[in-house]
Amino acid sequence: MVQPLSSLRGSSAEALQVLGARVDKDGITLEQFAELGQDLFRLAELLRSEPALRRTLTDVSTPAQAKAALVHGLLDGKAGTAAVDVLAEGAGLRWLAARDLADTLEHLGVIAVVRSAGRNAASRLSDELFIAGQVVNDNADLRIALSDPARSREDKVGLLRQLLEGKALPATIALVEQALAGSFRSVHAAITEFQKVAAATQGEGVALVRTARELSAAEHSRLAEALSTQYGRPVHLNIEVEPELLGGLRVEIGDDVIDGTVAARLDNARRKLAG
């Protein structure tokens, strides 16, 4: 299963930075970003399905020039030039594990698809991914259908398109469909990770806010401003309303948890009385 790309270490992390600079740059149209993202997804899938090729392209004993020639010989004319060039360059870099190259290609594909939405739609993309993840997580029948190995990928894509077609950005649909690749432990986990990548690509953090009631526009704005000030960058809020919290807020951002809910305070009081 894919690990968050922040977990890459050593030479793999350095390789990600090199390839990231090639993908996430100015001068590329939104349409070109969309095409590049899909091509990178396909190349990642190819490496995962062909262990021998994956091992060859990450073998440090094989000269970089020979590996690049192999990539171009196999893929020129079969995938977009930009994506093939990324893989050819990636094959010449050092990777701690063979799987890291495929994981990086998928990650860069997500970045490219995020960029294809344009900066003006960045907030909408994050919101749509969060909602799509909630729908999948909260609908047991849908969750079972999407994880059913007897169903084809095309059938699962059809189920998701019924939910999203005409209601979501093309970039949202592309990322939710990529969540079906099986590279994460679940579709919901993939969508959650993709939303984090989307936020990071736009220079934002993501905060999951659990609240007993809907926040007003003013409350939403004040909380986002306070968290942005605390963390030194814009913070996108994902709001989940949970009446059982009784009141207050629980905020999760990265590894930090700020629990100011009434339920948490009552639970703490009960523990003190019991102790």
Side-chain angles (χ1 to χ4, degrees), residues 99-180:
R99 56 173 284 176
D100 289 349
L101 176 55
D103 290 353
T104 294
L105 292 181
E106 181 179 28
H107 178 78
L108 296 177
V110 173
I111 291 174
V113 172
V114 169
R115 287 295 191 210
S116 76
R119 293 190 181 278
N120 292 338
S123 182
R124 179 183 169 187
L125 175 62
S126 287
D127 286 339
E128 288 180 352
L129 288 171
F130 176 63
I131 293 169
Q134 280 189 310
V135 169
V136 171
N137 195 51
D138 296 343
N139 189 321
D141 290 340
L142 177 60
R143 200 166 61 247
I144 292 170
L146 294 178
S147 61
D148 185 354
R151 285 179 177 263
S152 67
R153 172 99 177 252
E154 292 72 21
D155 184 29
K156 295 174 184 178
V157 167
L159 290 174
L160 292 174
R161 282 190 173 269
Q162 288 177 19
L163 293 173
L164 300 174
E165 200 78 68
K167 304 173 185 176
L169 294 166
T172 303
I173 296 173
L175 292 175
V176 173
E177 289 181 2
Q178 178 60 23
L180 295 170

Side-chain angles (χ1 to χ4, degrees), residues 21 31 57 146 148 167 179 185 262:
E31 292 76 14
L57 295 184
L146 294 178
D148 185 354
K167 304 173 185 176
R185 67 179 182 276
V262 172

Side-chain angles (χ1 to χ4, degrees), residues 4 17 19 22 26 75 78 106 117 126 132 167 174 178 180-181 204 206 233 257 261 264-265:
Q17 293 299 316
L19 296 181
R22 173 183 280 274
D26 296 329
L75 297 172
K78 299 176 183 177
E106 181 179 28
S126 287
K167 304 173 185 176
Q178 178 60 23
L180 295 170
E204 295 181 333
V206 176
R233 59 175 174 165
V257 177
T261 61
R265 292 198 293 270

Side-chain angles (χ1 to χ4, degrees), residues 212-240:
R213 59 172 178 79
E214 291 283 357
L215 299 181
S216 68
E219 290 170 331
H220 188 286
S221 179
R222 285 197 299 270
L223 179 59
E225 183 177 350
L227 291 172
S228 297
T229 299
Q230 181 174 344
Y231 287 92
R233 59 175 174 165
V235 174
H236 183 88
L237 304 185
N238 292 333
I239 307 295
E240 288 187 357

